[in-house]
Amino acid sequence: MKTPQKPWSGRFSSPTKASIEQFTESVSFDCRLAPYDVRASRAHADALHSAGILTKREHQRIDKALREILMEIENGKFQFKAELEDVHMNIEHRLRKKIGDLAGKLHTARSRNDLIAADMRLYIKDAATAIANLITALQKTIVEKAEKNIKVIMPGYTHLQRAQPVLFAHHLMAYYEMLARDYGRIADAAMRADVCPLGSCALAGTALPIDWEAEAKALGFSATARNSIDAVSDRDFVIEFLAVAAIIMIHLSRLAEEIILWSSTEFGFITLPDEICTGSSIMPHKKNPDVAELIRGKTGRVVGALTAMITIMKGLPLSYNRDFQEDKENLFNAVDTVAACLEMARELISGARINADVMERAADSAFLTSVDLTDYLVLKGIPFRTAHQLVGKIVRSCEQTGKNLQDLTLKEFRAFSTVFEKDVSRLLSARGSVERKTGKFSTSPKEVQKSIHHAQCELEKRK
Amino acid sequence: MKTPQKPWSGRFSSPTKASIEQFTESVSFDCRLAPYDVRASRAHADALHSAGILTKREHQRIDKALREILMEIENGKFQFKAELEDVHMNIEHRLRKKIGDLAGKLHTARSRNDLIAADMRLYIKDAATAIANLITALQKTIVEKAEKNIKVIMPGYTHLQRAQPVLFAHHLMAYYEMLARDYGRIADAAMRADVCPLGSCALAGTALPIDWEAEAKALGFSATARNSIDAVSDRDFVIEFLAVAAIIMIHLSRLAEEIILWSSTEFGFITLPDEICTGSSIMPHKKNPDVAELIRGKTGRVVGALTAMITIMKGLPLSYNRDFQEDKENLFNAVDTVAACLEMARELISGARINADVMERAADSAFLTSVDLTDYLVLKGIPFRTAHQLVGKIVRSCEQTGKNLQDLTLKEFRAFSTVFEKDVSRLLSARGSVERKTGKFSTSPKEVQKSIHHAQCELEKRK
Amino acid sequence: MKTPQKPWSGRFSSPTKASIEQFTESVSFDCRLAPYDVRASRAHADALHSAGILTKREHQRIDKALREILMEIENGKFQFKAELEDVHMNIEHRLRKKIGDLAGKLHTARSRNDLIAADMRLYIKDAATAIANLITALQKTIVEKAEKNIKVIMPGYTHLQRAQPVLFAHHLMAYYEMLARDYGRIADAAMRADVCPLGSCALAGTALPIDWEAEAKALGFSATARNSIDAVSDRDFVIEFLAVAAIIMIHLSRLAEEIILWSSTEFGFITLPDEICTGSSIMPHKKNPDVAELIRGKTGRVVGALTAMITIMKGLPLSYNRDFQEDKENLFNAVDTVAACLEMARELISGARINADVMERAADSAFLTSVDLTDYLVLKGIPFRTAHQLVGKIVRSCEQTGKNLQDLTLKEFRAFSTVFEKDVSRLLSARGSVERKTGKFSTSPKEVQKSIHHAQCELEKRK
Amino acid sequence: MKTPQKPWSGRFSSPTKASIEQFTESVSFDCRLAPYDVRASRAHADALHSAGILTKREHQRIDKALREILMEIENGKFQFKAELEDVHMNIEHRLRKKIGDLAGKLHTARSRNDLIAADMRLYIKDAATAIANLITALQKTIVEKAEKNIKVIMPGYTHLQRAQPVLFAHHLMAYYEMLARDYGRIADAAMRADVCPLGSCALAGTALPIDWEAEAKALGFSATARNSIDAVSDRDFVIEFLAVAAIIMIHLSRLAEEIILWSSTEFGFITLPDEICTGSSIMPHKKNPDVAELIRGKTGRVVGALTAMITIMKGLPLSYNRDFQEDKENLFNAVDTVAACLEMARELISGARINADVMERAADSAFLTSVDLTDYLVLKGIPFRTAHQLVGKIVRSCEQTGKNLQDLTLKEFRAFSTVFEKDVSRLLSARGSVERKTGKFSTSPKEVQKSIHHAQCELEKRK
């Protein structure tokens, strides 16, 4: 096949080497931006027409051809070619096939520098919406699961040691909160990306009389850039998006870790359904929480993409540098990963069978109500630190005799302090502990019910 | 010195080993949170009093002692001791010295888990304000420098190759825009951190009748947390802050790189004043841009802190884990670094002497107005791609004959195309190129002047 | 205090601003290199004397003063001053106090660029030795613990699901192997750092007749550098060391994770002694594996240091750049962290009480010997995949009826396949499974015993 | 298409969901390991035959089928299917098509856990060899370029300020040294990866009588693993390889930065040939060093892969976890990137036209021989620091009068110090400075020539 002429070959005396061509091409991945590139070109053709640079007839021919090209792209019939470097030149080349030299007019008053920035921003706005919707879907599933299991009690953990009894719904709703922050961060990142760089051209702007605000508006941007040099030098929107993506993955990795722990034989808190597990090629009894493990593992991928982008941008002078080309695969990879992991996390939560008995038995285990015992003493007027030490002694004594707090008689309690009275027995069960809570946003059943209701309203409003 | 008893030693049969104590202590760095810890304790004492857990007299004694402790901290007279583990226990221990066992009552209805989260959030809110102010100060200096040098022309670069003439002020204002985004991100991060975790206690909340909303309000928080487990498990506010800090450093590293380039003999665009340079211990002629190099280098420190925090949080189960202790040094280090680098960047921009002649001479160099030439042809009706190739040929021919575009006669131009007419000569100077620009946010002097004015208004509003 | 004159102030017309001085100083952390700096200076004075640049008398005066300075440093009496920038100038300044202008001769034929590289390499060689010794100590503790618990059986895990019975000693010895690789990597890194950069001066070498090989040898280096520009530009030895450190921390983080899991109520495999645990300020029953959590958390710190160094070095032109100054705190911090964590890991392994009964009970739980059952069928001539599916069916049937493999009668086995015979019962216990293993480096007791013996020999040889 | 049965489906009651299948499949990338997987299977079949588990006839049928499969893979005719999960199951499925149930016997005494580790190690050994060869090729090109330009003088830089004259060959050979260390690191990493994990099976080893040492040897491994649990838990070899790759990229990023600087108009030290440059779509005069920029940018990709792998492994309990699946794309991506960048760096160095005049003119510029002047004074008996300050004053005076050192008359020199004599003039040219150097590994022409010769011998020995 004859290599098509490069758009910039006029000045060059030797053709590009094949290995160089392969090293520098980007169409193998930036082809994903093709629909955005066509959209941007159609808006640009409109603007060139309004500015009198394209005649009505020229504009119509270009627009018709671009619409055909979009259809080819959407139908998977567009043939991207590496020797045409990037998505822009592939599309322009196809345009030239359709309408000849007129195609050359479309690149008036623009450059690949501002065009790629526009494509990327259009993509990121769509990606942000998609991910926000997946966050919402996951939050909904969490709220449903929490509501359905509102009575289930489990041990709350600090340091992976059983600490105090809590409602399982309360624990689950902690993830609702993390995701609510993620939702806010995605919205902020999308808002800052919602700026149209077109009009910057290579870096300096243009002398041609184009209405850049109209072009931005036509593409659905809220504003134009404010400085043409910044507009082609800036990849903040990629880094910020990746940072937000990394935090989402941190949250999902923690959820994944808990699902792995909970579905272990040792915890036994949940059972994952067969259809979202895989087995072992050698151990027939195994049912592995692979999906959760992969979510946890894929955290590395997104963190790696963030580190990559930061490393790339560090110390680069203005304005456009070819290093920026590396932004795309990192971003696409992260978007796909986060989207898939949010979807899979939903499957895990929705599918997990809650073993309420196992959880509650664990929550009722030794000493988890010791804080309640301390509070009891505080309410009897004993300073907190003294009460804490006293309960510590009771716990140590129980450990030595193999007893549980519930096993102690009033007499035994009073051997430690005479402030203990009969009512002490009422506060030593997990359920008693949870139900006696009163504090706002605590694990009190009433508070948890309120938070579920509040979440339902919040999700309703997003529609 | 006799090691004071640990607050949690009641249950333990052997004292902590010294090496363990040294490994686990945090007071050597979390002492920095002491003023916030006292503030949180004073608000908590108020709340305990309102709830009837402290008598008026007890409350007064605690509050007076806490105020004395705050003064000791502020005067540098407070003696932090590693064997007391952390900032909380150091302060409680001092309180006990002052008011005896009554001190023990203060820890009622709270835990170090929610207390440290409150301290950190108070700190981050202050740090965000400080950094926002430093961003504003740097932006002001940029605007002043731009305004003062509004007529200076320099070559704009892409790929570090001279591309087109631009106003130096326009280039500088690109940094204004980056910092404006940073300002927005800091504000968003601070807003999300502005949530009071107190009331979560260890993780489950409490049965004691405290008004947590009042306590949050007293500390200047806009809201309480919404889930007690999330509130003690969450370090998003640290990660988000570090991500924002890393992006600021990316921006400063790019500015530093340009300052290093510009003050090289090869560029010679600026001269740094002696008082912000250092010399060589061996080469007497050297004047090194160390401050810019250190800013660029310190980017690594902040990026490292971000990576560290992400690595720490990945895959941790809820709720509090001791791993979180590692959040502090990373955060403090990043805040100090960003603050110092913003300040130093201001010194560099403010102090740099602009060598306007050198810049303009470079901007007038060969071929930088080739885009203007292309635009000329486009306005004569030649399709862009054809015009681009034609100008490419002119450039190549000039290179072969050692001529500049300005050196070509009309006849020579017309040898390439007969559309060239006399008026071609007017557009071949750097100043002519810049002044002919008309586009919004382009390097047109009128547009740059407008952007400076707009920036001045924006900064004015921040007051 | 009067600011002492800078060594490079001759050319400069204004003194350095105080805030710049604070920003650029490094002595607050590079003071740690002071003993190496004095060593390097003493060797350099010897070389200058041998080259005839210092007279015998001059050499003696310099050497005596340097020895006094070293003593001051070692006794903590040396006063480092920030206004003297760095460790080199602090020491030279002190030398000048002692011997006047003669001090100025010492900096002949060297520069801070090659001197700091020498100091860092001397430090890293010592650090490597120290860490190698701590690795050896931890390996010893592992071997001792393994030998002492040679009969203990536990469940081996894949995907955190119980997989097959293994010897606890075998599991522990996996960490021995990881550490053996770490030991090799540290040695390789130290070997590559063992190169003397002195003689490079600022970057170009010198015309003065110094014997650089003798100077290198006097400092204990195995070789001189091979290129003076590389020698002052290179920080590979820091990055490689940090990469090795990060891998060590990955290993320790995995050990820490297992210790946290094992000491949870759910696993209960080990009990950590009180003296290496800490408690809760609010929950008197808690005994938290803080030391293990901190090791896991401190992984972030070392990974962050690695990322920082990589970010710093990326894209820097040769030769020395001031950005390099940032190498020190990252390196020191990583060395201290790895050393402390290795020591703490030793405490954890040495101190952990092994709950052999709990472990073995877990290993004897349902289905862990299913592979043994598969192997049984394979040895009866059934193709592996068929055997695997058959055992899968038996497991599923057991799950449905709530039975364990050990509970099945021969008749029940034969309902699945008639190849089952009486001998099937012998292979269904955890101990039976482990003892039937024969493969090299498998969990067979004989093999594990051999590996322990082999390790003891390996450690013996290191002395 | 009917989904083929999973190898582990015996126990499972519901089929895997399609979205789960897509999320968990790895064959879309681990297909790259197919040739290694077949090699490992052939060696395993040999071993099973030797152990009497496969008959001679069975062995022959399996081996023949595997050889056919290998050919299909090599010819690109093998059809990988996502619904068959991974490379192992794809190959086993194809084997079953060819030889029926006998295929099932091949998975005797092994597991995907040890098989994938073997495949990865075989791949990494090959990748290490390939990269080592590319390093050698790049080093050769460097040596050739250095030798060819042995007389060219350029300014050496510190802080990107011209410091002292050096030979261009000396500067270039600094990269030879960096690459020599890279070569050593790759070799060390490959050596540590050269260990056969087969025999570990899932994690515990086996009871079947296989000769694992023979199998390891047949695959070209130097040794078997020493602990079966470690062997399936370990991904050190991936992390270490990525760390080495990251350091290589750091080196290439520095080279790329210099090429970008040198080919700028401001430096003008080199001219890149057209065939390895690309142009601008809008500015016809531009010739951009895209290849160098992409090398610099791709550093981020490899650093990101390293960070990803570290993040993945942190805190994972033993033994195999599904998170490990994420190791492959990171590794493959890094290997491809490093290989391509080494090759492209060779193109850049080989193709760059050295503008010797420009370089030498720059080296002869003001004050670069001030160290030589200082050395002159030192040899006249003036203490170094005094001499340094004196030369500093001369430089400052020259700057004020716009003179160069070469412009000063003896009388003017003597106004600063009477020790100056006539011979001072000889040392003030760049060439004079370089030629007067004598030190080992300095920029002395003789030393540089020696280092080139030494490098040639070193490269010769690698064959």
Side-chain angles (χ1 to χ4, degrees), chain C residues 256-297:
Chain C
E257 174 82 5
E258 297 209 310
I259 286 171
I260 292 164
L261 289 174
W262 293 346
S263 61
S264 71
T265 307
E266 286 72 14
F267 280 77
F269 286 0
I270 61 171
T271 306
L272 295 177
D274 288 357
E275 69 267 25
I276 56 172
C277 282
T278 58
S280 156
S281 65
I282 175 171
M283 294 168 288
H285 65 282
K286 288 294 291 295
K287 199 166 86 171
N288 296 325
D290 296 78
V291 170
E293 293 172 281
L294 281 170
I295 290 174
R296 188 177 57 183

Side-chain angles (χ1 to χ4, degrees), chain C residues 411-432:
Chain C
K411 195 174 154 200
E412 285 169 316
F413 271 118
R414 292 178 65 94
F416 290 98
S417 164
T418 52
V419 308
F420 284 113
E421 294 178 51
K422 240 206 219 145
D423 59 349
V424 70
S425 69
R426 280 182 308 185
L427 50 85
L428 299 173
S429 78
R431 193 158 299 279

Side-chain angles (χ1 to χ4, degrees), chain A residues 155 157-164 257 260-261 263-267 269 274 278-290 293 296 307 310-316 323 362 365-371 374 384-385 387-389 391-393 395-396 399, chain C residues 155 157-164 257 260-261 263-267 269 274 278-290 293 296 307 310-316 323 362 365-371 374 384-385 387-389 391-393 395-396 399:
Chain A
Y157 291 79
T158 61
H159 309 260
L160 205 64
Q161 295 285 321
R162 292 179 187 167
Q164 293 186 268
E257 173 83 4
I260 293 164
L261 288 174
S263 60
S264 71
T265 306
E266 286 73 14
F267 280 77
F269 286 1
D274 287 358
T278 58
S280 157
S281 64
I282 175 170
M283 294 167 289
H285 67 282
K286 288 292 292 294
K287 197 167 89 173
N288 297 326
D290 295 79
E293 291 173 279
R296 187 175 60 184
T307 308
I310 288 176
T311 307
I312 289 165
M313 297 305 292
K314 180 241 168 184
L316 291 188
D323 317 52
S365 74
F367 314 131
L368 291 213
T369 52
S370 66
V371 176
T374 310
F384 174 79
R385 284 288 179 225
H388 181 78
Q389 296 231 351
V391 176
K393 275 180 202 157
V395 165
R396 187 156 49 150
E399 280 192 330
Chain C
Y157 292 79
T158 60
H159 309 259
L160 204 64
Q161 295 286 321
R162 293 178 186 168
Q164 292 185 268
E257 174 82 5
I260 292 164
L261 289 174
S263 61
S264 71
T265 307
E266 286 72 14
F267 280 77
F269 286 0
D274 288 357
T278 58
S280 156
S281 65
I282 175 171
M283 294 168 288
H285 65 282
K286 288 294 291 295
K287 199 166 86 171
N288 296 325
D290 296 78
E293 293 172 281
R296 188 177 57 183
T307 308
I310 287 176
T311 306
I312 289 164
M313 296 306 292
K314 179 243 166 183
L316 290 186
D323 317 51
S365 73
F367 315 129
L368 291 213
T369 52
S370 65
V371 176
T374 310
F384 173 78
R385 284 288 177 221
H388 181 75
Q389 295 230 353
V391 177
K393 276 181 202 155
V395 165
R396 188 155 50 151
E399 280 192 329

Side-chain angles (χ1 to χ4, degrees), chain B residues 294-314:
Chain B
L294 281 170
I295 289 174
R296 187 177 58 184
K298 281 176 189 292
T299 307
R301 188 182 283 251
V302 179
V303 172
L306 172 60
T307 308
M309 251 338 269
I310 287 176
T311 308
I312 289 164
M313 297 305 293
K314 180 240 165 181

Side-chain angles (χ1 to χ4, degrees), chain B residues 171-242:
Chain B
H171 188 110
L172 209 50
M173 288 299 289
Y175 288 100
Y176 178 90
E177 293 300 324
M178 299 180 210
L179 290 162
R181 287 191 295 273
D182 292 331
Y183 188 89
R185 274 185 283 264
I186 277 279
D188 289 350
M191 178 266 291
R192 264 184 288 271
D194 185 17
V195 163
C196 186
L198 292 167
S200 303
C201 305
L203 79 158
T206 181
L208 300 172
I210 318 278
D211 181 346
W212 298 111
E213 290 197 318
E215 188 164 339
K217 203 175 160 191
L219 283 166
F221 282 111
S222 300
T224 66
R226 305 200 302 184
N227 180 300
S228 64
I229 294 177
D230 174 50
V232 299
S233 307
D234 170 34
R235 286 300 181 272
D236 283 11
F237 56 98
V238 180
I239 304 181
E240 181 174 357
F241 193 94
L242 290 174

Side-chain angles (χ1 to χ4, degrees), chain D residues 445-460:
Chain D
K446 222 174 78 191
E447 283 295 319
V448 175
Q449 190 61 69
K450 264 164 66 182
S451 77
I452 287 174
H453 182 67
H454 182 270
Q456 286 163 337
C457 297
E458 201 169 61
L459 293 173
E460 192 60 32

Side-chain angles (χ1 to χ4, degrees), chain D residues 74-311:
Chain D
E74 286 171 350
N75 297 338
K77 294 201 175 139
F78 193 99
Q79 298 241 339
F80 293 100
K81 294 175 190 161
E83 65 272 18
L84 288 167
E85 280 196 61
D86 58 26
V87 63
H88 321 300
M89 299 322 305
N90 269 273
I91 288 172
E92 183 174 329
H93 184 257
R94 184 85 188 101
L95 191 63
R96 186 175 301 273
K97 286 264 170 191
K98 286 179 179 290
I99 59 170
D101 274 358
L102 171 56
K105 282 205 173 176
L106 185 58
H107 212 53
T108 312
R110 77 175 184 188
S111 139
R112 286 185 289 186
N113 296 357
D114 58 349
L115 182 53
I116 191 63
D119 290 358
M120 287 288 280
R121 286 167 180 272
L122 289 170
Y123 167 80
I124 233 166
K125 285 175 64 183
D126 276 3
T129 303
I131 287 186
N133 289 341
L134 287 165
I135 290 174
T136 298
L138 176 53
Q139 285 182 299
K140 256 184 207 154
T141 300
I142 286 172
V143 172
E144 283 160 20
K145 197 82 177 184
E147 195 170 31
K148 206 172 141 190
N149 294 278
I150 188 70
K151 288 186 181 306
V152 178
I153 288 178
M154 69 181 287
Y157 292 79
T158 60
H159 308 260
L160 203 63
Q161 294 286 320
R162 293 179 186 168
Q164 293 186 266
V166 297
L167 287 185
F168 169 69
H170 189 51
H171 188 110
L172 210 50
M173 288 298 289
Y175 287 100
Y176 178 90
E177 291 301 324
M178 298 180 210
L179 290 162
R181 288 191 295 274
D182 292 330
Y183 189 89
R185 272 185 284 263
I186 277 279
D188 289 350
M191 177 266 293
R192 264 185 288 272
D194 185 17
V195 164
C196 186
L198 292 168
S200 303
C201 305
L203 80 159
T206 180
L208 301 170
I210 319 276
D211 182 345
W212 298 110
E213 291 196 319
E215 185 164 340
K217 206 175 160 190
L219 283 167
F221 282 110
S222 300
T224 67
R226 307 200 301 186
N227 181 299
S228 62
I229 295 178
D230 174 50
V232 297
S233 307
D234 169 34
R235 288 297 182 274
D236 283 12
F237 56 98
V238 180
I239 304 180
E240 182 174 357
F241 193 93
L242 290 174
V244 173
I247 299 177
I248 296 174
M249 289 306 297
I250 294 295
H251 294 157
L252 297 185
S253 80
R254 299 182 75 174
L255 177 62
E257 174 82 4
E258 297 209 309
I259 285 171
I260 293 163
L261 288 175
W262 293 347
S263 60
S264 70
T265 306
E266 286 72 17
F267 280 78
F269 287 2
I270 61 171
T271 306
L272 294 178
D274 287 357
E275 68 266 27
I276 57 173
C277 280
T278 57
S280 157
S281 64
I282 174 170
M283 293 166 289
H285 66 284
K286 289 293 293 294
K287 198 166 90 173
N288 297 324
D290 296 77
V291 170
E293 292 173 280
L294 282 170
I295 290 174
R296 186 177 59 184
K298 282 176 189 292
T299 308
R301 189 182 284 251
V302 179
V303 172
L306 172 61
T307 309
M309 250 338 269
I310 288 176
T311 308

